[in-house]
Each structure stands twice: as structure tokens, then as C-alpha cells.
Amino acid sequence: MVVRGYRSPVRARHAEDTRRSIIEAAAKLFAERGYARTSVAAVAAAAGVAVNTVYTSVGNKPALIMAMSEDGAADDTAKETERRIAESADPREILRLLADGTGQVRRRRQDTLAILLDNRNADPDVAAAAEVAVRAVRDRLKVAAARLLAVGGLREGLTGEQVEQTLWFYFGFEAWRTVRAFGWSWKDSADWLAQQATHALLPADGSRP
């Protein structure tokens, strides 16, 4: 007889809650003290758990910074935006979805992104985690670019690479950091980025070529 293992849903939720608390504590300390000056022991104390729990739930410091990045890459809003883009046949709506979706994710993950982007040149662990975040966004924008090409209505002669690069220019990390640094609201920022991407990719009169 095969004995099947049993995983308690309550225990699984508790483990996930513990992991979440640890990652949030690490993010707070990394932002306040910097990655290099934050120890695993400090993260454990901030999360209210034993040091060994940090290692068993998440891992060492490189694992902590990577977990922060991977959680951002798996953001539910990003997934929902990708789903809605796949269902849309309107290029203007797709660009609007990108503006709203990337804006919501940036707003929710801005502290984590600041840690990754501001420290990636100072530490290889942070650089590796930042690359995961960048690649996740670039991959999603590549999918959006392919959808735009599939539904049509873009300026004549644009290649898939050009569309993808344009989306990164207007909806990537630096675009959002720039408009927010101007002091613009999240809504105003999204409106402007969507408008500029529309001008760059669609015919001026809105007609399909």
C-alpha cells in the first residue's frame, strides 16, 4: 500500500505567512540600512522569528533579495493585465491596459524596485535579483508587442523589436521613475505614458494602415 503524504492547509498557510513576514521585514531593512549592512539575524529579529526559520523559509541573504524580486515578477496585477491584453483586439486599449497595469505594480512594489535598481551596481546579489525583475517586465512587454502586431493598427513598417523597445521606453522602470520624480500623480503619469506610447506606435489619425 502506498502511503500518501498529507500537507495541512493550515500549516501551509502558516508557512506562507511566515515567509511573507520575513520577506517584508527584509525589504524594510534593506531599504533603511542597505543590503550590505543588513544581516540575516536582523531580518529574523524584525520578522519575530528565529534565525533558522529565515533559512528554512526563504534562505540566506541572496535568497532573500531574490525572493523579493521573484514575488514582484509574479504580481497578480501583472498577470491579470497580461490576460486582459490577450483578450483585447484594440491597440489603444492594449496601451491603456499597459499604462494602468504597470502603474499599479510600480506603485505597490516601488520600495522593492528602489532597492533593486539603486543597488544593482554595488552588489552582485542585488544585480542578479534586479535582472530577474527586468527580464520579467521585458518578457511581458514582448508578449504585449506581439499582441499589438497581431491585432494590427500600428504605424507602417514597425518591427516586433521596435514595438517591444517602444513599450519598454514608455512602460519600463526608468519611464515610471522619471515621471514620478516630476511629482506627477500615478493617474497623471499613466495618462501621459499611455498617450505618448499611442502617438509613437499608432497612426496620427487613428486609422488602420
Side-chain angles (χ1 to χ4, degrees), residues 91-172:
R92 291 179 181 275
E93 180 185 37
I94 290 172
L95 294 174
R96 184 72 237 184
L97 288 169
L98 281 172
D100 292 341
T102 56
Q104 290 177 47
V105 176
R106 300 300 175 274
R107 184 174 189 172
R108 189 159 54 247
R109 306 280 179 175
Q110 58 185 316
D111 292 341
T112 296
L113 287 171
I115 294 167
L116 296 174
L117 300 177
D118 292 343
N119 296 278
R120 57 184 165 179
N121 294 327
D123 190 286
D125 296 337
V126 182
E131 179 56 29
V132 168
V134 169
R135 180 46 51 197
V137 175
R138 293 297 295 263
D139 286 347
R140 285 196 166 104
L141 292 178
K142 185 174 183 178
V143 172
R147 183 58 182 165
L148 283 167
L149 288 166
V151 302
L154 303 182
R155 291 180 181 273
E156 291 185 3
L158 288 174
T159 66
E161 183 178 32
Q162 289 172 326
V163 176
E164 180 185 344
Q165 290 172 347
T166 301
L167 295 183
W168 175 252
F169 184 87
Y170 287 110
F171 304 120

Side-chain angles (χ1 to χ4, degrees), residues 3-84:
V3 178
R4 298 183 182 276
Y6 172 71
R7 181 174 175 82
S8 166
V10 174
R11 184 173 298 176
R13 284 196 298 272
H14 176 71
E16 180 55 32
D17 288 344
T18 298
R19 178 182 178 278
R20 172 60 45 205
S21 295
I22 291 169
I23 293 174
E24 289 176 353
K28 186 173 186 295
L29 290 178
F30 291 160
E32 292 175 351
R33 305 179 184 181
Y35 176 77
R37 293 189 297 275
T38 300
S39 66
V40 173
V43 173
V49 300
V51 171
N52 188 57
T53 301
V54 176
Y55 286 108
T56 57
S57 296
V58 184
N60 56 12
K61 271 179 63 175
L64 286 168
I65 195 76
M66 185 60 75
M68 289 168 50
S69 182
E70 291 172 344
D71 279 7
D75 190 280
D76 288 340
T77 296
K79 293 179 179 179
E80 175 63 13
T81 299
E82 191 170 23
R83 183 193 66 78
R84 293 179 65 187

